[in-house]
Amino acid sequence: MPAARPQRADALRNRRRILDAASEQITANGPDVGMDEIATAAGVAVGTLYRHFPTKADLLSAVIAVDIAQIADDAEASLARTEGGARPVDEVVGFLHRVADATAHSHAVKAAAAGLGVPGHGDQTDEARAAAAVGALLAAAQRDGDVRPHIGVEDIYLLMTTAPSEHPEQIPRWLDLIVPGITTDGARDRK
Amino acid sequence: MPAARPQRADALRNRRRILDAASEQITANGPDVGMDEIATAAGVAVGTLYRHFPTKADLLSAVIAVDIAQIADDAEASLARTEGGARPVDEVVGFLHRVADATAHSHAVKAAAAGLGVPGHGDQTDEARAAAAVGALLAAAQRDGDVRPHIGVEDIYLLMTTAPSEHPEQIPRWLDLIVPGITTDGARDRK
Amino acid sequence: MPAARPQRADALRNRRRILDAASEQITANGPDVGMDEIATAAGVAVGTLYRHFPTKADLLSAVIAVDIAQIADDAEASLARTEGGARPVDEVVGFLHRVADATAHSHAVKAAAAGLGVPGHGDQTDEARAAAAVGALLAAAQRDGDVRPHIGVEDIYLLMTTAPSEHPEQIPRWLDLIVPGITTDGARDRK
Amino acid sequence: MPAARPQRADALRNRRRILDAASEQITANGPDVGMDEIATAAGVAVGTLYRHFPTKADLLSAVIAVDIAQIADDAEASLARTEGGARPVDEVVGFLHRVADATAHSHAVKAAAAGLGVPGHGDQTDEARAAAAVGALLAAAQRDGDVRPHIGVEDIYLLMTTAPSEHPEQIPRWLDLIVPGITTDGARDRK
DNA sequence: TATGAATGAGCGTTCATTCAT
DNA sequence: CATGAATGAACGCTCATTCAT
């Protein structure tokens, strides 16, 4: 099967370039960057940007969706690692750590989404994947007696969304403060 | 000319009215309210607003400074209560609770919390008052063995800044997750 | 290569589809419809549309030309009817009536009417057909003493152009006001 | 009373300049002229234009209101002339003539108003003034037996709005065609 | 030849800031 | 010192037209 969907390749590449540029620009200059600036950064004209994302809100949603997919991937990888022998608590904490770092590079996007009345922000299947993996991770760690009972996926989400993403240098300290709320005293002794 | 600077009085009153109006408007509609709207709400013309605060950033800083003063007042009141017999840990936690609630009701307060400890934001004396009171509170609680050693004022500030102010209904749960990072296991047993 | 230019047939069919779609869209939504919308309605891509009509103005002209042809057909049919015994005045008035109604249902027809007699608009042969038929109709009616002398084809065009097409409900009244300017007093008595 | 409302003078002058410029530009280039172009033609910045007219539709309405006021003035002046001995029919016809000429300089504006969903387009009192004066004029002419019975103000309006304003050179001929629909045969004989 | 993605000037509108009164 | 009119850059978005495939 040689030539399938010509042109499409270019368009797809542009779409990706726009998404990347948008993510970068928003991280660097906040969610109020102009569409023109994003377009310029992506190396396309505004019209092209609007062909791919009819509204600024749509573009923001798409950027967020990418981040959510990455978070889901990370959670699933963490879960896979526990099957290879890793301690579930460590994976929970590691996951939180990596996500906190990631939000430092895209928190502005979330703020933008909240401020723009974005509808469903992000792909539901990715959200579900993330929830499933994190849930399994928590359950395993709780079975080990390392994570407090009653801690659920929403708690992890709550912490993720409150990471000090505007001040990445504070993230390690923040993690130190946050982790005891999730883990049991025993988990720390055992370590 | 006998009268003692009647102008000054007017100007001061205008300044206060503008600050109040700005605080209200920002709380209600976010920090993107127009300067005209703030001026109208304050019952003055834009020009007057600009006489008192040369740029919007200046006005915002001033609003934040007011909130910082209130936070300092709260911290000092907490400290005073410990002198009346209240347990220092409880005051630390109560202080966190009240500030978190306040940030949920005011974009400006959130910004104020974020500005604490950042040079250039807010009035230095108020910042110093807040830092002194919170520091004394922590030291007392640590003397009781109720707050972990190594927890400092900046840690409290860091947590304040990351309260889920956009989702006030999550604040109680957030406090549950956060408090174990500050207090010792003993503090909870003792309670 | 036996087949006789199959391309030509396709192209012609596309041309017709575009014209129909353009006419429909313009009638429904005014002449400000986007080229993309017309293309979509015609079931072709914009590029194809532009291959047939290099500019929007060209497309509009073509649509108008179609309407002019229809007007010419109507005028010729009216003339034919007089040969079958119909009174020429009645046919003149009937023609005016039908064209006025048509302009009310189509922005394009209105433009077509306005373009009649203006050099450069529409197909010259259709214009000539319309002019010939309306002229013959007028001459016959004048021979009957039913249409004022000195009334010419341009007068009929002028009236057609000024029909209240935006307010179709006013067209009957407008015709009542307009007809006496064309017909003689005698024509009315005789009726 | 020396200094009453300073500044106001400037603002009023700007308002007038904007109105004039808008009328000119719309007449010259159609109702789709950009707001920037109107502002430039008026010698102000866009912001000033928007201070006076919050919306393009508002500006258009205002331009139309001016025209309506002028029409009302004309109608009242015509009526006054009949009290000085002028023949009512002549005034009716003269009025139509002048209004037709005027619409040639502002018809575009009316089209714009229709196309923009302008709410009440124009001042109601001016509309009422015009209707009263034209009504009185018609009644007087009908008493003279010079204007057909059953002709009402709405008929005059209908004709006014259908004047060939895009082709001012055709207005005289159009009037010749239109007038017999209003006047009686007697009026023409008597003249 | 048909496609549809890309272009970019232009639009109506907003808003922090300046300045004549 | 207060007023509020004026400024003009910037914004999100549209659309006739071009061009690579």
Side-chain angles (χ1 to χ4, degrees), chain A residues 78-106:
Chain A
S78 299
L79 184 58
R81 249 172 270 131
T82 63
E83 282 153 20
R87 274 183 82 199
V89 222
D90 293 344
E91 288 302 329
V92 169
V93 172
F95 171 75
L96 257 178
H97 199 126
R98 289 188 302 277
V99 171
D101 280 348
T103 61
H105 293 106
S106 81

PDB file of all heavy atoms in Angstrom, chain A residues 78-106:
ATOM      1  N   SER A  78       3.969   3.061  35.381  1.00  0.00           N
ATOM      2  CA  SER A  78       4.237   2.834  36.808  1.00  0.00           C
ATOM      3  C   SER A  78       3.633   1.510  37.245  1.00  0.00           C
ATOM      4  O   SER A  78       4.287   0.699  37.922  1.00  0.00           O
ATOM      5  CB  SER A  78       3.622   3.966  37.645  1.00  0.00           C
ATOM      6  OG  SER A  78       4.191   5.211  37.290  1.00  0.00           O
ATOM      7  N   LEU A  79       2.412   1.305  36.847  1.00  0.00           N
ATOM      8  CA  LEU A  79       1.721   0.077  37.211  1.00  0.00           C
ATOM      9  C   LEU A  79       2.475  -1.142  36.665  1.00  0.00           C
ATOM     10  O   LEU A  79       2.675  -2.144  37.364  1.00  0.00           O
ATOM     11  CB  LEU A  79       0.295   0.104  36.669  1.00  0.00           C
ATOM     12  CG  LEU A  79      -0.596  -1.079  37.041  1.00  0.00           C
ATOM     13  CD1 LEU A  79      -0.710  -1.202  38.553  1.00  0.00           C
ATOM     14  CD2 LEU A  79      -1.988  -0.920  36.421  1.00  0.00           C
ATOM     15  N   ALA A  80       2.926  -1.041  35.430  1.00  0.00           N
ATOM     16  CA  ALA A  80       3.668  -2.143  34.812  1.00  0.00           C
ATOM     17  C   ALA A  80       4.925  -2.447  35.617  1.00  0.00           C
ATOM     18  O   ALA A  80       5.289  -3.612  35.826  1.00  0.00           O
ATOM     19  CB  ALA A  80       4.034  -1.769  33.368  1.00  0.00           C
ATOM     20  N   ARG A  81       5.563  -1.404  36.099  1.00  0.00           N
ATOM     21  CA  ARG A  81       6.792  -1.593  36.868  1.00  0.00           C
ATOM     22  C   ARG A  81       6.530  -2.396  38.154  1.00  0.00           C
ATOM     23  O   ARG A  81       7.372  -3.177  38.580  1.00  0.00           O
ATOM     24  CB  ARG A  81       7.407  -0.245  37.202  1.00  0.00           C
ATOM     25  CG  ARG A  81       8.728  -0.011  36.452  1.00  0.00           C
ATOM     26  CD  ARG A  81       9.221   1.398  36.655  1.00  0.00           C
ATOM     27  NE  ARG A  81       8.702   2.289  35.629  1.00  0.00           N
ATOM     28  CZ  ARG A  81       8.130   3.470  35.840  1.00  0.00           C
ATOM     29  NH1 ARG A  81       7.956   3.907  37.072  1.00  0.00           N
ATOM     30  NH2 ARG A  81       7.701   4.188  34.822  1.00  0.00           N
ATOM     31  N   THR A  82       5.373  -2.165  38.763  1.00  0.00           N
ATOM     32  CA  THR A  82       5.089  -2.931  39.989  1.00  0.00           C
ATOM     33  C   THR A  82       4.968  -4.408  39.678  1.00  0.00           C
ATOM     34  O   THR A  82       5.290  -5.249  40.502  1.00  0.00           O
ATOM     35  CB  THR A  82       3.783  -2.465  40.666  1.00  0.00           C
ATOM     36  OG1 THR A  82       2.697  -2.711  39.775  1.00  0.00           O
ATOM     37  CG2 THR A  82       3.843  -1.005  41.024  1.00  0.00           C
ATOM     38  N   GLU A  83       4.491  -4.694  38.478  1.00  0.00           N
ATOM     39  CA  GLU A  83       4.414  -6.097  38.083  1.00  0.00           C
ATOM     40  C   GLU A  83       5.806  -6.683  37.889  1.00  0.00           C
ATOM     41  O   GLU A  83       6.005  -7.890  37.989  1.00  0.00           O
ATOM     42  CB  GLU A  83       3.575  -6.238  36.812  1.00  0.00           C
ATOM     43  CG  GLU A  83       2.077  -6.142  37.135  1.00  0.00           C
ATOM     44  CD  GLU A  83       1.255  -5.635  35.960  1.00  0.00           C
ATOM     45  OE1 GLU A  83       1.748  -5.719  34.814  1.00  0.00           O
ATOM     46  OE2 GLU A  83       0.138  -5.138  36.197  1.00  0.00           O
ATOM     47  N   GLY A  84       6.760  -5.836  37.665  1.00  0.00           N
ATOM     48  CA  GLY A  84       8.137  -6.280  37.535  1.00  0.00           C
ATOM     49  C   GLY A  84       8.869  -6.279  38.870  1.00  0.00           C
ATOM     50  O   GLY A  84      10.085  -6.421  38.922  1.00  0.00           O
ATOM     51  N   GLY A  85       8.119  -6.019  39.960  1.00  0.00           N
ATOM     52  CA  GLY A  85       8.747  -6.110  41.258  1.00  0.00           C
ATOM     53  C   GLY A  85       8.884  -4.811  42.042  1.00  0.00           C
ATOM     54  O   GLY A  85       9.251  -4.819  43.208  1.00  0.00           O
ATOM     55  N   ALA A  86       8.629  -3.701  41.400  1.00  0.00           N
ATOM     56  CA  ALA A  86       8.777  -2.423  42.104  1.00  0.00           C
ATOM     57  C   ALA A  86       7.738  -2.294  43.215  1.00  0.00           C
ATOM     58  O   ALA A  86       6.631  -2.805  43.106  1.00  0.00           O
ATOM     59  CB  ALA A  86       8.624  -1.270  41.110  1.00  0.00           C
ATOM     60  N   ARG A  87       8.096  -1.527  44.287  1.00  0.00           N
ATOM     61  CA  ARG A  87       7.143  -1.343  45.387  1.00  0.00           C
ATOM     62  C   ARG A  87       6.056  -0.358  44.972  1.00  0.00           C
ATOM     63  O   ARG A  87       6.355   0.766  44.547  1.00  0.00           O
ATOM     64  CB  ARG A  87       7.841  -0.772  46.617  1.00  0.00           C
ATOM     65  CG  ARG A  87       8.471  -1.839  47.526  1.00  0.00           C
ATOM     66  CD  ARG A  87       9.062  -1.188  48.753  1.00  0.00           C
ATOM     67  NE  ARG A  87       8.095  -0.918  49.791  1.00  0.00           N
ATOM     68  CZ  ARG A  87       8.293  -0.043  50.795  1.00  0.00           C
ATOM     69  NH1 ARG A  87       9.398   0.678  50.822  1.00  0.00           N
ATOM     70  NH2 ARG A  87       7.380   0.118  51.722  1.00  0.00           N
ATOM     71  N   PRO A  88       4.823  -0.726  45.111  1.00  0.00           N
ATOM     72  CA  PRO A  88       3.729   0.169  44.719  1.00  0.00           C
ATOM     73  C   PRO A  88       3.818   1.566  45.326  1.00  0.00           C
ATOM     74  O   PRO A  88       3.634   2.549  44.616  1.00  0.00           O
ATOM     75  CB  PRO A  88       2.489  -0.583  45.197  1.00  0.00           C
ATOM     76  CG  PRO A  88       2.881  -2.031  45.052  1.00  0.00           C
ATOM     77  CD  PRO A  88       4.330  -2.085  45.439  1.00  0.00           C
ATOM     78  N   VAL A  89       4.100   1.697  46.620  1.00  0.00           N
ATOM     79  CA  VAL A  89       4.201   3.065  47.203  1.00  0.00           C
ATOM     80  C   VAL A  89       5.196   3.894  46.452  1.00  0.00           C
ATOM     81  O   VAL A  89       4.959   5.063  46.179  1.00  0.00           O
ATOM     82  CB  VAL A  89       4.762   3.103  48.656  1.00  0.00           C
ATOM     83  CG1 VAL A  89       3.966   4.093  49.480  1.00  0.00           C
ATOM     84  CG2 VAL A  89       4.918   1.757  49.241  1.00  0.00           C
ATOM     85  N   ASP A  90       6.349   3.291  46.191  1.00  0.00           N
ATOM     86  CA  ASP A  90       7.384   4.045  45.495  1.00  0.00           C
ATOM     87  C   ASP A  90       6.876   4.537  44.149  1.00  0.00           C
ATOM     88  O   ASP A  90       7.167   5.652  43.720  1.00  0.00           O
ATOM     89  CB  ASP A  90       8.617   3.157  45.292  1.00  0.00           C
ATOM     90  CG  ASP A  90       9.286   2.829  46.619  1.00  0.00           C
ATOM     91  OD1 ASP A  90       8.985   3.521  47.623  1.00  0.00           O
ATOM     92  OD2 ASP A  90      10.079   1.873  46.663  1.00  0.00           O
ATOM     93  N   GLU A  91       6.099   3.687  43.510  1.00  0.00           N
ATOM     94  CA  GLU A  91       5.574   4.095  42.201  1.00  0.00           C
ATOM     95  C   GLU A  91       4.531   5.203  42.348  1.00  0.00           C
ATOM     96  O   GLU A  91       4.468   6.113  41.533  1.00  0.00           O
ATOM     97  CB  GLU A  91       4.971   2.890  41.472  1.00  0.00           C
ATOM     98  CG  GLU A  91       6.032   1.905  40.978  1.00  0.00           C
ATOM     99  CD  GLU A  91       7.042   2.562  40.040  1.00  0.00           C
ATOM    100  OE1 GLU A  91       6.677   3.511  39.318  1.00  0.00           O
ATOM    101  OE2 GLU A  91       8.222   2.133  40.040  1.00  0.00           O
ATOM    102  N   VAL A  92       3.735   5.124  43.395  1.00  0.00           N
ATOM    103  CA  VAL A  92       2.758   6.196  43.620  1.00  0.00           C
ATOM    104  C   VAL A  92       3.482   7.515  43.832  1.00  0.00           C
ATOM    105  O   VAL A  92       3.185   8.533  43.192  1.00  0.00           O
ATOM    106  CB  VAL A  92       1.872   5.885  44.851  1.00  0.00           C
ATOM    107  CG1 VAL A  92       1.052   7.116  45.230  1.00  0.00           C
ATOM    108  CG2 VAL A  92       0.951   4.723  44.552  1.00  0.00           C
ATOM    109  N   VAL A  93       4.479   7.474  44.704  1.00  0.00           N
ATOM    110  CA  VAL A  93       5.225   8.703  44.993  1.00  0.00           C
ATOM    111  C   VAL A  93       5.982   9.175  43.759  1.00  0.00           C
ATOM    112  O   VAL A  93       6.007  10.366  43.433  1.00  0.00           O
ATOM    113  CB  VAL A  93       6.179   8.473  46.189  1.00  0.00           C
ATOM    114  CG1 VAL A  93       7.090   9.682  46.375  1.00  0.00           C
ATOM    115  CG2 VAL A  93       5.366   8.207  47.457  1.00  0.00           C
ATOM    116  N   GLY A  94       6.590   8.228  43.066  1.00  0.00           N
ATOM    117  CA  GLY A  94       7.321   8.593  41.854  1.00  0.00           C
ATOM    118  C   GLY A  94       6.395   9.228  40.816  1.00  0.00           C
ATOM    119  O   GLY A  94       6.754  10.226  40.179  1.00  0.00           O
ATOM    120  N   PHE A  95       5.223   8.635  40.693  1.00  0.00           N
ATOM    121  CA  PHE A  95       4.238   9.182  39.754  1.00  0.00           C
ATOM    122  C   PHE A  95       3.888  10.624  40.118  1.00  0.00           C
ATOM    123  O   PHE A  95       3.919  11.522  39.278  1.00  0.00           O
ATOM    124  CB  PHE A  95       2.986   8.302  39.777  1.00  0.00           C
ATOM    125  CG  PHE A  95       1.811   8.870  39.027  1.00  0.00           C
ATOM    126  CD1 PHE A  95       1.778   8.849  37.645  1.00  0.00           C
ATOM    127  CD2 PHE A  95       0.741   9.428  39.714  1.00  0.00           C
ATOM    128  CE1 PHE A  95       0.692   9.363  36.947  1.00  0.00           C
ATOM    129  CE2 PHE A  95      -0.352   9.952  39.020  1.00  0.00           C
ATOM    130  CZ  PHE A  95      -0.370   9.921  37.644  1.00  0.00           C
ATOM    131  N   LEU A  96       3.591  10.827  41.389  1.00  0.00           N
ATOM    132  CA  LEU A  96       3.271  12.184  41.836  1.00  0.00           C
ATOM    133  C   LEU A  96       4.419  13.139  41.522  1.00  0.00           C
ATOM    134  O   LEU A  96       4.200  14.262  41.053  1.00  0.00           O
ATOM    135  CB  LEU A  96       3.034  12.188  43.348  1.00  0.00           C
ATOM    136  CG  LEU A  96       1.590  12.262  43.806  1.00  0.00           C
ATOM    137  CD1 LEU A  96       1.523  12.195  45.319  1.00  0.00           C
ATOM    138  CD2 LEU A  96       0.944  13.555  43.327  1.00  0.00           C
ATOM    139  N   HIS A  97       5.598  12.682  41.778  1.00  0.00           N
ATOM    140  CA  HIS A  97       6.768  13.506  41.520  1.00  0.00           C
ATOM    141  C   HIS A  97       6.857  13.913  40.043  1.00  0.00           C
ATOM    142  O   HIS A  97       6.996  15.085  39.712  1.00  0.00           O
ATOM    143  CB  HIS A  97       8.024  12.726  41.924  1.00  0.00           C
ATOM    144  CG  HIS A  97       9.218  13.598  42.138  1.00  0.00           C
ATOM    145  ND1 HIS A  97       9.974  13.594  43.279  1.00  0.00           N
ATOM    146  CD2 HIS A  97       9.775  14.541  41.344  1.00  0.00           C
ATOM    147  CE1 HIS A  97      10.940  14.480  43.179  1.00  0.00           C
ATOM    148  NE2 HIS A  97      10.847  15.063  42.012  1.00  0.00           N
ATOM    149  N   ARG A  98       6.746  12.923  39.192  1.00  0.00           N
ATOM    150  CA  ARG A  98       6.880  13.226  37.752  1.00  0.00           C
ATOM    151  C   ARG A  98       5.744  14.111  37.254  1.00  0.00           C
ATOM    152  O   ARG A  98       5.940  15.019  36.449  1.00  0.00           O
ATOM    153  CB  ARG A  98       6.940  11.933  36.954  1.00  0.00           C
ATOM    154  CG  ARG A  98       8.245  11.154  37.145  1.00  0.00           C
ATOM    155  CD  ARG A  98       8.340   9.982  36.204  1.00  0.00           C
ATOM    156  NE  ARG A  98       7.227   9.059  36.364  1.00  0.00           N
ATOM    157  CZ  ARG A  98       7.156   8.099  37.286  1.00  0.00           C
ATOM    158  NH1 ARG A  98       8.147   7.917  38.148  1.00  0.00           N
ATOM    159  NH2 ARG A  98       6.099   7.328  37.355  1.00  0.00           N
ATOM    160  N   VAL A  99       4.531  13.837  37.744  1.00  0.00           N
ATOM    161  CA  VAL A  99       3.414  14.659  37.296  1.00  0.00           C
ATOM    162  C   VAL A  99       3.578  16.097  37.793  1.00  0.00           C
ATOM    163  O   VAL A  99       3.319  17.048  37.064  1.00  0.00           O
ATOM    164  CB  VAL A  99       2.067  14.081  37.773  1.00  0.00           C
ATOM    165  CG1 VAL A  99       0.942  15.053  37.495  1.00  0.00           C
ATOM    166  CG2 VAL A  99       1.794  12.762  37.071  1.00  0.00           C
ATOM    167  N   ALA A 100       4.042  16.228  39.014  1.00  0.00           N
ATOM    168  CA  ALA A 100       4.263  17.583  39.539  1.00  0.00           C
ATOM    169  C   ALA A 100       5.264  18.321  38.659  1.00  0.00           C
ATOM    170  O   ALA A 100       5.057  19.482  38.293  1.00  0.00           O
ATOM    171  CB  ALA A 100       4.754  17.519  40.976  1.00  0.00           C
ATOM    172  N   ASP A 101       6.323  17.641  38.285  1.00  0.00           N
ATOM    173  CA  ASP A 101       7.291  18.258  37.384  1.00  0.00           C
ATOM    174  C   ASP A 101       6.636  18.635  36.054  1.00  0.00           C
ATOM    175  O   ASP A 101       6.874  19.712  35.508  1.00  0.00           O
ATOM    176  CB  ASP A 101       8.462  17.288  37.117  1.00  0.00           C
ATOM    177  CG  ASP A 101       9.460  17.290  38.278  1.00  0.00           C
ATOM    178  OD1 ASP A 101       9.369  18.178  39.147  1.00  0.00           O
ATOM    179  OD2 ASP A 101      10.328  16.391  38.302  1.00  0.00           O
ATOM    180  N   ALA A 102       5.801  17.718  35.575  1.00  0.00           N
ATOM    181  CA  ALA A 102       5.163  17.983  34.284  1.00  0.00           C
ATOM    182  C   ALA A 102       4.219  19.188  34.372  1.00  0.00           C
ATOM    183  O   ALA A 102       4.180  20.024  33.470  1.00  0.00           O
ATOM    184  CB  ALA A 102       4.401  16.757  33.806  1.00  0.00           C
ATOM    185  N   THR A 103       3.458  19.277  35.454  1.00  0.00           N
ATOM    186  CA  THR A 103       2.545  20.419  35.554  1.00  0.00           C
ATOM    187  C   THR A 103       3.321  21.727  35.581  1.00  0.00           C
ATOM    188  O   THR A 103       2.812  22.769  35.189  1.00  0.00           O
ATOM    189  CB  THR A 103       1.659  20.346  36.807  1.00  0.00           C
ATOM    190  OG1 THR A 103       2.495  20.369  37.963  1.00  0.00           O
ATOM    191  CG2 THR A 103       0.799  19.104  36.795  1.00  0.00           C
ATOM    192  N   ALA A 104       4.549  21.651  36.051  1.00  0.00           N
ATOM    193  CA  ALA A 104       5.358  22.869  36.029  1.00  0.00           C
ATOM    194  C   ALA A 104       5.581  23.344  34.605  1.00  0.00           C
ATOM    195  O   ALA A 104       5.871  24.511  34.365  1.00  0.00           O
ATOM    196  CB  ALA A 104       6.697  22.634  36.709  1.00  0.00           C
ATOM    197  N   HIS A 105       5.419  22.437  33.656  1.00  0.00           N
ATOM    198  CA  HIS A 105       5.579  22.829  32.259  1.00  0.00           C
ATOM    199  C   HIS A 105       4.260  23.021  31.533  1.00  0.00           C
ATOM    200  O   HIS A 105       4.248  23.299  30.341  1.00  0.00           O
ATOM    201  CB  HIS A 105       6.426  21.796  31.517  1.00  0.00           C
ATOM    202  CG  HIS A 105       7.829  21.759  31.990  1.00  0.00           C
ATOM    203  ND1 HIS A 105       8.328  20.746  32.764  1.00  0.00           N
ATOM    204  CD2 HIS A 105       8.840  22.659  31.860  1.00  0.00           C
ATOM    205  CE1 HIS A 105       9.594  21.010  33.064  1.00  0.00           C
ATOM    206  NE2 HIS A 105       9.928  22.164  32.529  1.00  0.00           N
ATOM    207  N   SER A 106       3.153  22.865  32.235  1.00  0.00           N
ATOM    208  CA  SER A 106       1.894  23.050  31.526  1.00  0.00           C
ATOM    209  C   SER A 106       0.739  23.480  32.429  1.00  0.00           C
ATOM    210  O   SER A 106      -0.401  23.490  32.015  1.00  0.00           O
ATOM    211  CB  SER A 106       1.497  21.755  30.805  1.00  0.00           C
ATOM    212  OG  SER A 106       0.882  20.871  31.711  1.00  0.00           O
TER     213      SER A 106
END
